[in-house]
Amino acid sequence: MLAAAQHRTPRRNRIIRTLVAAGTGAAVLALPLIGATAASATTPAAGSATSTASTTLAGYPNNLNGWIRESLAIMAEKKIPGSYNGIYRNIIRESSGNPRAINLWDSNAAKGIPSKGLLQVIDPTFNTYHVAGTSFDIYDPVANITAACNYAAARYGSIDNVHGAY
């Protein structure tokens, strides 16, 4: 075929295709952050920790950032080690930030004790490592974070040292 007769894609179309491909790749990478990857969500109960109130009873924002900050304040009082980044990293891996997440498929679930909440804690661990002054509801975000961090401190030195399922 002669060079003059060859079809050429305008530069604008190549740029659009590149941007669409990049956007699709970003969406694929973001999907695990949107929904729970290691657990399935349940419907929140009325009056649960995921209510539409803008702050918690302690005055922190009623969202992931506020729950972590409130838990860190309690942990500091109780001398439980851990950092915001260590907690956040583990929450995103375990529940994608869903306080109502529950794992119904792993070995714990097969034994009848599924992992629950932001940091996927089983009931016996939550009960053993529950921190005084927090809720006894495993789905309460602050209670779940604080108990999980208390367990991680006893077992691994800190939640900061946890880089996989624990």
Side-chain angles (χ1 to χ4, degrees):
M1 180 181 278
L2 296 174
Q6 289 181 351
H7 176 71
R8 290 183 34 101
T9 304
R11 179 172 168 76
R12 181 176 58 89
N13 287 348
R14 283 194 312 259
I15 292 171
I16 290 171
R17 280 198 317 267
T18 301
L19 291 173
V20 168
T24 302
V28 168
L29 292 174
L31 282 176
L33 299 177
I34 294 170
T37 57
S40 60
T42 61
T43 305
S48 72
T50 57
S51 69
T52 57
S54 60
T55 60
T56 66
L57 293 175
Y60 291 89
N62 194 18
N63 57 31
L64 184 56
N65 177 53
W67 301 327
I68 294 171
R69 289 178 33 221
E70 184 174 346
S71 186
L72 283 168
I74 295 166
M75 290 166 57
E77 271 180 30
K78 307 290 183 176
K79 306 216 181 316
I80 300 169
S83 70
Y84 185 99
N85 289 338
I87 295 169
Y88 181 84
R89 172 176 37 83
N90 282 284
I91 286 173
I92 295 304
R93 184 191 63 254
E94 294 293 334
S95 68
S96 297
N98 178 357
R100 302 295 298 179
I102 183 168
N103 184 327
L104 297 173
W105 59 267
D106 70 359
S107 60
N108 287 321
K111 295 176 193 169
I113 49 171
S115 306
K116 301 172 184 173
L118 287 171
L119 282 166
Q120 292 295 280
V121 181
I122 59 174
D123 290 328
T125 302
F126 181 80
N127 294 334
T128 301
Y129 291 93
H130 175 263
V131 176
T134 64
S135 170
F136 284 95
D137 177 3
I138 197 167
Y139 290 107
D140 177 86
V142 174
N144 188 280
I145 293 168
T146 311
C149 288
N150 195 22
Y151 165 74
R155 176 112 189 214
Y156 305 103
S158 170
I159 191 75
D160 297 337
N161 298 330
V162 178
H163 298 283
Y166 58 109

